[in-house]
Amino acid sequence: MTSVRVQPTTDGPGPRERMVQSALILMGERGIEATSFSQVIEHSGAPRGSIYHHFPGGKAQLVEEATRYAGDAVAMLLADAVKKADDPVAAVDTIVEFWRTVMYDSDFAAGCPVIAATLEGDHSPAARAAAKEVFERWQELYAEMLQRAGVPEDRARSLGSIAISAVEGAVILSRAEGSNAPLERVSDELHRLFHDAIDDAAT
Amino acid sequence: MTSVRVQPTTDGPGPRERMVQSALILMGERGIEATSFSQVIEHSGAPRGSIYHHFPGGKAQLVEEATRYAGDAVAMLLADAVKKADDPVAAVDTIVEFWRTVMYDSDFAAGCPVIAATLEGDHSPAARAAAKEVFERWQELYAEMLQRAGVPEDRARSLGSIAISAVEGAVILSRAEGSNAPLERVSDELHRLFHDAIDDAAT
């Protein structure tokens, strides 16, 4: 399995943040149960021993923080897209481009850590609670953009749900198929849905 | 966690099939690694010892068969929907109704075993290969229905991909939120997409 690597740089994130980044990558690839502290230390290149200093709450704390960190990272991608152009279709493209690259670069081994936190939440209730908040926030960010583009609130919420659901699902289908084809086809359909909703709102 | 139970009946499936059904339910809820032979035996009510007789290939065989069984079950739901009315929208409703009930009855603990097979496929390559085939087949079944309704092939394939991706993703969002609301919103949007594509094809 090819892992996406976190490249430590002199002015990059410090060891604590690198550990969170490594945790979210490994969770996405392998799931929470299969991700150990040792693997996170090795993957992040952080000094052994420091993980207990930074995460006194143990793996539960690390996994919860990694889920929230992933939530923030995608929220920032969406915020950056909005800054360039307050266009919901461009925001879809930003997220699809993110996953297209991550899947390709990982040789289709990558996965979404927020899905891992959802599916394995029986043993990590704090991570599942974080996953719930993250999914709600992502849907809401799309819904807000669509409302600013004139789409009525209920419809904007539905579109927010399908935008997140379909891309999350397509990433899994793409992983299964070892090809981004499902992601590309879903992107086409989301374009169409968003364009039509915005056009309808303008008429 | 509330588990969906397989109810053994006198004229129901035999012990082998009940074990496969239990495996797919437990895989969906907990993942492959966290599902043991003992749990499958307990869940299915099958006689201890018989599992090694029925699955000489061990857990790898059981997990692969459970993935294919789940694939067949959904394919049969779609085939039944087509028999009643060869209407792609009604087929979406059938799948959404299936998940709506499964999620509600399991108190939002259920999950898709084909996703589990995809995400944990590094240790279960036969199950991942089965997952790839299942996802491709499900997309294809929608694409064929849509083509029979006049939708051009490329578009029908895109719609097949979003129908599977969005419902699979929505089931995860619904699990995270402990509510079928994301599934219902995704269903609304799939209705619209399918209706519009079929109407466009007719004009």
Side-chain angles (χ1 to χ4, degrees):
Chain A
M1 185 167 69
T2 310
S3 264
V4 180
R5 287 274 150 187
V6 176
Q7 293 297 342
T9 57
T10 46
D11 55 353
R16 189 180 197 286
E17 189 170 357
R18 289 211 311 277
M19 284 186 270
V20 172
Q21 291 174 339
S22 289
L24 77 85
I25 290 168
L26 296 173
M27 282 166 62
E29 287 180 356
R30 307 166 190 191
I32 292 174
E33 293 301 312
T35 298
S36 66
F37 260 17
S38 318
Q39 289 168 344
V40 171
I41 289 162
E42 194 201 350
H43 186 275
S44 64
R48 191 164 292 274
S50 65
I51 199 164
Y52 302 98
H53 166 71
H54 288 301
F55 304 97
K59 189 171 157 183
Q61 182 187 358
L62 176 59
V63 161
E64 182 191 351
E65 285 198 32
T67 305
R68 294 192 190 282
Y69 190 99
D72 290 344
V74 168
M76 275 190 287
L77 278 180
L78 289 174
D80 280 352
V82 167
K83 230 181 274 174
K84 277 188 213 151
D86 196 6
D87 172 3
V89 179
V92 169
D93 287 341
T94 299
I95 300 303
V96 168
E97 173 57 23
F98 168 78
W99 276 115
R100 179 187 289 131
T101 306
V102 167
M103 294 312 286
Y104 189 81
D105 288 353
S106 69
D107 199 17
F108 299 94
C112 177
V114 189
I115 286 181
T118 301
L119 299 184
E120 296 181 79
D122 290 326
H123 297 108
S124 306
R128 179 174 285 167
K132 171 178 156 55
E133 285 173 33
V134 166
F135 281 139
E136 286 173 349
R137 180 177 174 204
W138 288 351
Q139 292 172 79
E140 186 61 27
L141 285 170
Y142 273 120
E144 287 168 2
M145 264 182 261
L146 287 155
Q147 284 183 264
R148 285 196 300 273
V151 177
E153 184 178 351
D154 274 2
R155 183 80 208 280
R157 281 169 58 83
S158 290
L159 288 166
S161 291
I162 199 169
I164 300 299
S165 297
V167 170
E168 292 284 328
V171 166
I172 295 172
L173 266 61
S174 290
R175 185 167 174 175
E177 294 190 17
S179 147
N180 277 329
L183 182 63
E184 303 299 349
R185 292 195 292 262
V186 160
S187 170
D188 287 347
E189 291 300 330
L190 289 176
H191 266 226
R192 190 181 302 259
L193 260 179
F194 273 42
H195 274 306
D196 286 354
I198 293 166
D199 289 351
D200 283 354
T203 56
Chain B
M1 185 167 71
T2 311
S3 265
V4 180
R5 288 274 149 189
V6 176
Q7 294 297 342
T9 57
T10 46
D11 55 353
R16 191 180 195 286
E17 187 170 358
R18 289 211 311 279
M19 285 186 268
V20 172
Q21 291 174 340
S22 289
L24 77 85
I25 291 168
L26 295 173
M27 280 166 63
E29 287 180 353
R30 308 167 189 189
I32 292 173
E33 292 300 312
T35 298
S36 66
F37 260 17
S38 318
Q39 290 168 344
V40 171
I41 289 162
E42 194 200 351
H43 187 275
S44 65
R48 189 164 295 272
S50 64
I51 198 163
Y52 302 97
H53 166 70
H54 287 300
F55 303 96
K59 189 171 158 183
Q61 183 187 358
L62 177 59
V63 160
E64 181 190 353
E65 285 198 31
T67 305
R68 294 191 190 281
Y69 190 99
D72 290 343
V74 167
M76 275 190 288
L77 279 179
L78 289 173
D80 280 351
V82 166
K83 230 181 277 175
K84 277 187 213 151
D86 196 6
D87 171 4
V89 178
V92 169
D93 287 341
T94 299
I95 300 303
V96 168
E97 174 57 22
F98 168 79
W99 278 114
R100 179 188 289 129
T101 306
V102 168
M103 295 311 287
Y104 189 81
D105 288 352
S106 69
D107 198 17
F108 299 94
C112 176
V114 190
I115 286 182
T118 302
L119 299 184
E120 296 181 79
D122 290 326
H123 297 108
S124 307
R128 179 173 285 167
K132 170 178 158 55
E133 284 173 33
V134 167
F135 281 139
E136 286 173 348
R137 180 177 173 204
W138 288 351
Q139 293 173 78
E140 186 61 27
L141 285 171
Y142 273 120
E144 286 167 3
M145 265 182 260
L146 287 155
Q147 284 182 264
R148 284 196 299 273
V151 177
E153 185 179 349
D154 274 2
R155 183 78 207 282
R157 282 169 58 82
S158 289
L159 287 166
S161 291
I162 199 169
I164 300 300
S165 297
V167 170
E168 292 284 329
V171 166
I172 295 172
L173 267 61
S174 290
R175 184 167 175 176
E177 294 189 17
S179 148
N180 276 329
L183 182 63
E184 303 299 350
R185 293 195 292 263
V186 160
S187 169
D188 288 346
E189 291 299 330
L190 289 177
H191 267 224
R192 190 182 303 260
L193 259 179
F194 274 41
H195 274 307
D196 286 354
I198 293 165
D199 288 350
D200 283 355
T203 56

Short mmCIF file of all heavy atoms in Angstrom, two decimals, chain A residues 95-110 166-167 169-188, chain B residues 132 136 139 157-158 161 165:
data_model
loop_
_atom_site.label_atom_id
_atom_site.label_comp_id
_atom_site.label_asym_id
_atom_site.label_seq_id
_atom_site.Cartn_x
_atom_site.Cartn_y
_atom_site.Cartn_z
N ILE A 95 -13.20 20.52 -4.24
CA ILE A 95 -13.22 19.29 -3.44
C ILE A 95 -12.92 18.07 -4.32
O ILE A 95 -12.18 17.18 -3.92
CB ILE A 95 -14.59 19.14 -2.73
CG1 ILE A 95 -14.85 20.33 -1.79
CG2 ILE A 95 -14.66 17.81 -1.96
CD1 ILE A 95 -13.78 20.55 -0.73
N VAL A 96 -13.49 18.07 -5.51
CA VAL A 96 -13.23 16.95 -6.43
C VAL A 96 -11.75 16.92 -6.81
O VAL A 96 -11.12 15.85 -6.82
CB VAL A 96 -14.13 17.04 -7.68
CG1 VAL A 96 -13.67 16.07 -8.77
CG2 VAL A 96 -15.59 16.76 -7.31
N GLU A 97 -11.17 18.08 -7.06
CA GLU A 97 -9.74 18.14 -7.43
C GLU A 97 -8.87 17.65 -6.26
O GLU A 97 -7.89 16.93 -6.46
CB GLU A 97 -9.36 19.57 -7.83
CG GLU A 97 -7.87 19.81 -8.07
CD GLU A 97 -7.25 18.89 -9.13
OE1 GLU A 97 -7.99 18.38 -9.98
OE2 GLU A 97 -6.01 18.69 -9.09
N PHE A 98 -9.27 18.02 -5.05
CA PHE A 98 -8.55 17.54 -3.86
C PHE A 98 -8.54 16.00 -3.84
O PHE A 98 -7.49 15.37 -3.77
CB PHE A 98 -9.20 18.10 -2.59
CG PHE A 98 -8.73 17.43 -1.32
CD1 PHE A 98 -7.51 17.75 -0.76
CD2 PHE A 98 -9.52 16.47 -0.69
CE1 PHE A 98 -7.06 17.12 0.40
CE2 PHE A 98 -9.08 15.84 0.47
CZ PHE A 98 -7.85 16.17 1.01
N TRP A 99 -9.71 15.40 -3.95
CA TRP A 99 -9.80 13.94 -3.87
C TRP A 99 -9.17 13.25 -5.08
O TRP A 99 -8.57 12.18 -4.96
CB TRP A 99 -11.25 13.48 -3.70
CG TRP A 99 -11.68 13.53 -2.27
CD1 TRP A 99 -12.64 14.34 -1.72
CD2 TRP A 99 -11.15 12.75 -1.18
NE1 TRP A 99 -12.73 14.12 -0.37
CE2 TRP A 99 -11.84 13.15 -0.01
CE3 TRP A 99 -10.17 11.78 -1.07
CZ2 TRP A 99 -11.57 12.59 1.25
CZ3 TRP A 99 -9.90 11.22 0.18
CH2 TRP A 99 -10.59 11.63 1.31
N ARG A 100 -9.33 13.87 -6.27
CA ARG A 100 -8.72 13.30 -7.47
C ARG A 100 -7.22 13.13 -7.25
O ARG A 100 -6.65 12.08 -7.53
CB ARG A 100 -8.98 14.26 -8.64
CG ARG A 100 -8.39 13.85 -9.97
CD ARG A 100 -8.57 14.97 -10.99
NE ARG A 100 -9.97 15.12 -11.40
CZ ARG A 100 -10.64 16.28 -11.43
NH1 ARG A 100 -10.06 17.40 -11.03
NH2 ARG A 100 -11.89 16.31 -11.84
N THR A 101 -6.59 14.16 -6.70
CA THR A 101 -5.14 14.15 -6.48
C THR A 101 -4.77 13.17 -5.36
O THR A 101 -3.84 12.38 -5.49
CB THR A 101 -4.67 15.57 -6.11
OG1 THR A 101 -5.10 16.46 -7.14
CG2 THR A 101 -3.16 15.64 -5.98
N VAL A 102 -5.51 13.23 -4.25
CA VAL A 102 -5.20 12.35 -3.11
C VAL A 102 -5.34 10.88 -3.51
O VAL A 102 -4.49 10.05 -3.18
CB VAL A 102 -6.11 12.68 -1.90
CG1 VAL A 102 -6.04 11.59 -0.85
CG2 VAL A 102 -5.73 14.03 -1.30
N MET A 103 -6.38 10.55 -4.23
CA MET A 103 -6.59 9.16 -4.63
C MET A 103 -5.50 8.70 -5.59
O MET A 103 -4.92 7.62 -5.44
CB MET A 103 -7.97 8.95 -5.28
CG MET A 103 -9.16 9.19 -4.35
SD MET A 103 -9.04 8.35 -2.75
CE MET A 103 -9.35 6.65 -3.24
N TYR A 104 -5.20 9.56 -6.56
CA TYR A 104 -4.20 9.19 -7.56
C TYR A 104 -2.82 9.04 -6.90
O TYR A 104 -2.12 8.05 -7.10
CB TYR A 104 -4.17 10.25 -8.66
CG TYR A 104 -3.32 9.84 -9.83
CD1 TYR A 104 -3.82 8.99 -10.81
CD2 TYR A 104 -2.01 10.29 -9.95
CE1 TYR A 104 -3.04 8.59 -11.88
CE2 TYR A 104 -1.22 9.89 -11.01
CZ TYR A 104 -1.73 9.05 -11.97
OH TYR A 104 -0.95 8.65 -13.02
N ASP A 105 -2.45 10.04 -6.07
CA ASP A 105 -1.12 10.03 -5.45
C ASP A 105 -0.94 8.87 -4.47
O ASP A 105 0.18 8.45 -4.20
CB ASP A 105 -0.85 11.36 -4.73
CG ASP A 105 -0.61 12.49 -5.72
OD1 ASP A 105 -0.53 12.22 -6.93
OD2 ASP A 105 -0.53 13.65 -5.27
N SER A 106 -2.03 8.40 -3.89
CA SER A 106 -1.93 7.31 -2.92
C SER A 106 -2.11 5.95 -3.59
O SER A 106 -2.18 4.92 -2.91
CB SER A 106 -3.01 7.47 -1.84
OG SER A 106 -4.30 7.24 -2.39
N ASP A 107 -2.18 5.94 -4.91
CA ASP A 107 -2.46 4.71 -5.65
C ASP A 107 -3.79 4.09 -5.17
O ASP A 107 -3.89 2.88 -5.01
CB ASP A 107 -1.30 3.73 -5.52
CG ASP A 107 -1.31 2.65 -6.60
OD1 ASP A 107 -2.02 2.85 -7.62
OD2 ASP A 107 -0.66 1.61 -6.42
N PHE A 108 -4.76 4.96 -4.90
CA PHE A 108 -6.12 4.58 -4.50
C PHE A 108 -6.16 3.82 -3.17
O PHE A 108 -7.00 2.95 -2.95
CB PHE A 108 -6.81 3.79 -5.62
CG PHE A 108 -6.93 4.62 -6.86
CD1 PHE A 108 -5.98 4.55 -7.86
CD2 PHE A 108 -7.95 5.55 -6.97
CE1 PHE A 108 -6.05 5.38 -8.98
CE2 PHE A 108 -8.03 6.37 -8.09
CZ PHE A 108 -7.08 6.28 -9.09
N ALA A 109 -5.23 4.19 -2.28
CA ALA A 109 -5.22 3.62 -0.93
C ALA A 109 -5.82 4.58 0.08
O ALA A 109 -6.10 4.19 1.21
CB ALA A 109 -3.79 3.27 -0.53
N ALA A 110 -6.03 5.84 -0.31
CA ALA A 110 -6.50 6.85 0.66
C ALA A 110 -7.99 6.70 0.91
O ALA A 110 -8.74 6.12 0.12
CB ALA A 110 -6.20 8.25 0.14
N ALA A 166 -22.33 12.28 -2.19
CA ALA A 166 -21.93 11.69 -3.47
C ALA A 166 -20.41 11.67 -3.61
O ALA A 166 -19.85 10.68 -4.11
CB ALA A 166 -22.56 12.46 -4.63
N VAL A 167 -19.73 12.71 -3.15
CA VAL A 167 -18.27 12.71 -3.27
C VAL A 167 -17.66 11.71 -2.29
O VAL A 167 -16.76 10.96 -2.65
CB VAL A 167 -17.69 14.14 -3.09
CG1 VAL A 167 -16.17 14.10 -2.96
CG2 VAL A 167 -18.08 15.02 -4.28
N GLY A 169 -19.08 8.99 -1.21
CA GLY A 169 -19.35 7.68 -1.77
C GLY A 169 -18.47 7.39 -2.98
O GLY A 169 -17.94 6.28 -3.13
N ALA A 170 -18.29 8.41 -3.83
CA ALA A 170 -17.49 8.21 -5.05
C ALA A 170 -16.04 7.91 -4.72
O ALA A 170 -15.37 7.15 -5.44
CB ALA A 170 -17.58 9.44 -5.94
N VAL A 171 -15.53 8.48 -3.63
CA VAL A 171 -14.16 8.19 -3.22
C VAL A 171 -14.02 6.70 -2.86
O VAL A 171 -13.02 6.05 -3.19
CB VAL A 171 -13.74 9.11 -2.05
CG1 VAL A 171 -12.46 8.62 -1.38
CG2 VAL A 171 -13.56 10.55 -2.55
N ILE A 172 -15.06 6.14 -2.25
CA ILE A 172 -15.04 4.71 -1.90
C ILE A 172 -15.14 3.86 -3.17
O ILE A 172 -14.41 2.89 -3.35
CB ILE A 172 -16.16 4.38 -0.90
CG1 ILE A 172 -15.89 5.10 0.43
CG2 ILE A 172 -16.26 2.86 -0.68
CD1 ILE A 172 -17.02 5.01 1.43
N LEU A 173 -16.05 4.23 -4.07
CA LEU A 173 -16.16 3.49 -5.34
C LEU A 173 -14.86 3.58 -6.13
O LEU A 173 -14.42 2.59 -6.73
CB LEU A 173 -17.33 4.02 -6.18
CG LEU A 173 -18.67 3.30 -6.02
CD1 LEU A 173 -19.20 3.38 -4.61
CD2 LEU A 173 -19.71 3.86 -7.00
N SER A 174 -14.24 4.75 -6.13
CA SER A 174 -12.98 4.93 -6.86
C SER A 174 -11.88 4.08 -6.25
O SER A 174 -11.05 3.50 -6.96
CB SER A 174 -12.58 6.41 -6.87
OG SER A 174 -13.48 7.15 -7.69
N ARG A 175 -11.89 3.99 -4.92
CA ARG A 175 -10.91 3.14 -4.25
C ARG A 175 -11.12 1.68 -4.64
O ARG A 175 -10.17 0.96 -4.96
CB ARG A 175 -11.04 3.31 -2.74
CG ARG A 175 -9.99 2.57 -1.95
CD ARG A 175 -9.98 3.04 -0.51
NE ARG A 175 -9.09 2.26 0.31
CZ ARG A 175 -8.82 2.52 1.59
NH1 ARG A 175 -9.39 3.56 2.18
NH2 ARG A 175 -7.99 1.78 2.27
N ALA A 176 -12.38 1.24 -4.63
CA ALA A 176 -12.69 -0.15 -4.99
C ALA A 176 -12.26 -0.45 -6.43
O ALA A 176 -11.71 -1.51 -6.71
CB ALA A 176 -14.18 -0.43 -4.81
N GLU A 177 -12.51 0.52 -7.33
CA GLU A 177 -12.23 0.29 -8.75
C GLU A 177 -10.77 0.59 -9.11
O GLU A 177 -10.33 0.26 -10.21
CB GLU A 177 -13.16 1.14 -9.62
CG GLU A 177 -14.61 0.71 -9.49
CD GLU A 177 -15.54 1.38 -10.52
OE1 GLU A 177 -15.05 1.94 -11.52
OE2 GLU A 177 -16.76 1.35 -10.29
N GLY A 178 -10.04 1.25 -8.19
CA GLY A 178 -8.67 1.63 -8.52
C GLY A 178 -8.61 2.63 -9.66
O GLY A 178 -7.67 2.64 -10.46
N SER A 179 -9.61 3.49 -9.72
CA SER A 179 -9.72 4.46 -10.82
C SER A 179 -10.60 5.61 -10.36
O SER A 179 -11.57 5.40 -9.61
CB SER A 179 -10.35 3.78 -12.03
OG SER A 179 -11.14 4.69 -12.77
N ASN A 180 -10.27 6.83 -10.82
CA ASN A 180 -11.09 7.98 -10.45
C ASN A 180 -12.37 8.11 -11.28
O ASN A 180 -13.10 9.10 -11.13
CB ASN A 180 -10.28 9.28 -10.56
CG ASN A 180 -9.44 9.54 -9.30
OD1 ASN A 180 -9.83 9.16 -8.20
ND2 ASN A 180 -8.29 10.19 -9.48
N ALA A 181 -12.66 7.14 -12.14
CA ALA A 181 -13.82 7.26 -13.03
C ALA A 181 -15.12 7.54 -12.28
O ALA A 181 -15.88 8.44 -12.68
CB ALA A 181 -13.94 6.02 -13.91
N PRO A 182 -15.43 6.82 -11.19
CA PRO A 182 -16.68 7.14 -10.49
C PRO A 182 -16.70 8.58 -9.97
O PRO A 182 -17.73 9.27 -10.05
CB PRO A 182 -16.71 6.13 -9.32
CG PRO A 182 -15.88 4.98 -9.78
CD PRO A 182 -14.79 5.61 -10.61
N LEU A 183 -15.56 9.06 -9.46
CA LEU A 183 -15.49 10.44 -8.97
C LEU A 183 -15.74 11.44 -10.09
O LEU A 183 -16.46 12.43 -9.91
CB LEU A 183 -14.10 10.65 -8.34
CG LEU A 183 -13.82 12.02 -7.71
CD1 LEU A 183 -14.75 12.30 -6.53
CD2 LEU A 183 -12.35 12.12 -7.26
N GLU A 184 -15.18 11.18 -11.27
CA GLU A 184 -15.37 12.10 -12.40
C GLU A 184 -16.84 12.13 -12.84
O GLU A 184 -17.40 13.18 -13.15
CB GLU A 184 -14.50 11.70 -13.60
CG GLU A 184 -13.00 11.60 -13.33
CD GLU A 184 -12.37 12.91 -12.87
OE1 GLU A 184 -13.02 13.97 -12.95
OE2 GLU A 184 -11.21 12.86 -12.40
N ARG A 185 -17.48 10.95 -12.85
CA ARG A 185 -18.88 10.91 -13.29
C ARG A 185 -19.77 11.62 -12.27
O ARG A 185 -20.71 12.33 -12.64
CB ARG A 185 -19.32 9.46 -13.51
CG ARG A 185 -18.61 8.81 -14.71
CD ARG A 185 -19.28 7.52 -15.18
NE ARG A 185 -19.16 6.45 -14.21
CZ ARG A 185 -18.25 5.47 -14.26
NH1 ARG A 185 -17.35 5.43 -15.24
NH2 ARG A 185 -18.24 4.53 -13.34
N VAL A 186 -19.47 11.43 -10.99
CA VAL A 186 -20.25 12.11 -9.94
C VAL A 186 -20.05 13.63 -10.05
O VAL A 186 -21.00 14.41 -9.89
CB VAL A 186 -19.85 11.57 -8.55
CG1 VAL A 186 -20.24 12.52 -7.44
CG2 VAL A 186 -20.51 10.20 -8.34
N SER A 187 -18.83 14.04 -10.34
CA SER A 187 -18.56 15.46 -10.50
C SER A 187 -19.41 16.06 -11.63
O SER A 187 -20.00 17.14 -11.47
CB SER A 187 -17.06 15.64 -10.80
OG SER A 187 -16.79 16.96 -11.19
N ASP A 188 -19.51 15.34 -12.75
CA ASP A 188 -20.35 15.81 -13.88
C ASP A 188 -21.79 16.03 -13.42
O ASP A 188 -22.42 17.02 -13.77
CB ASP A 188 -20.36 14.78 -15.02
CG ASP A 188 -19.04 14.74 -15.76
OD1 ASP A 188 -18.21 15.65 -15.57
OD2 ASP A 188 -18.83 13.76 -16.53
N LYS B 132 -15.31 -4.43 -5.80
CA LYS B 132 -15.16 -3.75 -7.10
C LYS B 132 -16.24 -4.24 -8.07
O LYS B 132 -16.94 -3.45 -8.71
CB LYS B 132 -13.77 -4.03 -7.65
CG LYS B 132 -13.51 -3.60 -9.09
CD LYS B 132 -12.04 -3.92 -9.44
CE LYS B 132 -11.73 -4.05 -10.91
NZ LYS B 132 -12.06 -2.97 -11.78
N GLU B 136 -19.48 -2.04 -9.52
CA GLU B 136 -19.61 -1.89 -10.98
C GLU B 136 -20.97 -2.43 -11.46
O GLU B 136 -21.63 -1.81 -12.30
CB GLU B 136 -18.44 -2.58 -11.69
CG GLU B 136 -17.15 -1.78 -11.54
CD GLU B 136 -15.89 -2.48 -12.06
OE1 GLU B 136 -15.95 -3.69 -12.35
OE2 GLU B 136 -14.85 -1.80 -12.16
N GLN B 139 -23.87 -0.03 -10.44
CA GLN B 139 -23.91 1.15 -11.31
C GLN B 139 -24.49 0.78 -12.67
O GLN B 139 -25.28 1.52 -13.26
CB GLN B 139 -22.50 1.74 -11.48
CG GLN B 139 -21.91 2.34 -10.21
CD GLN B 139 -20.45 2.75 -10.40
OE1 GLN B 139 -20.16 3.78 -10.99
NE2 GLN B 139 -19.53 1.94 -9.92
N ARG B 157 -24.55 6.18 -17.50
CA ARG B 157 -23.46 5.72 -16.65
C ARG B 157 -23.16 6.71 -15.53
O ARG B 157 -22.92 6.33 -14.39
CB ARG B 157 -22.19 5.47 -17.48
CG ARG B 157 -22.23 4.16 -18.25
CD ARG B 157 -21.10 4.09 -19.27
NE ARG B 157 -19.78 4.21 -18.69
CZ ARG B 157 -19.11 3.20 -18.11
NH1 ARG B 157 -19.66 2.00 -18.06
NH2 ARG B 157 -17.91 3.39 -17.63
N SER B 158 -23.16 8.00 -15.86
CA SER B 158 -22.94 9.03 -14.83
C SER B 158 -24.02 8.97 -13.76
O SER B 158 -23.74 9.08 -12.57
CB SER B 158 -22.97 10.43 -15.44
OG SER B 158 -21.86 10.67 -16.22
N SER B 161 -23.54 6.10 -11.47
CA SER B 161 -22.47 6.33 -10.49
C SER B 161 -22.95 7.23 -9.35
O SER B 161 -22.63 6.99 -8.19
CB SER B 161 -21.25 6.98 -11.16
OG SER B 161 -20.64 6.04 -12.01
N SER B 165 -23.12 6.14 -5.48
CA SER B 165 -22.23 6.92 -4.60
C SER B 165 -23.01 7.72 -3.57
O SER B 165 -22.66 7.74 -2.39
CB SER B 165 -21.38 7.89 -5.43
OG SER B 165 -20.54 7.22 -6.32
#
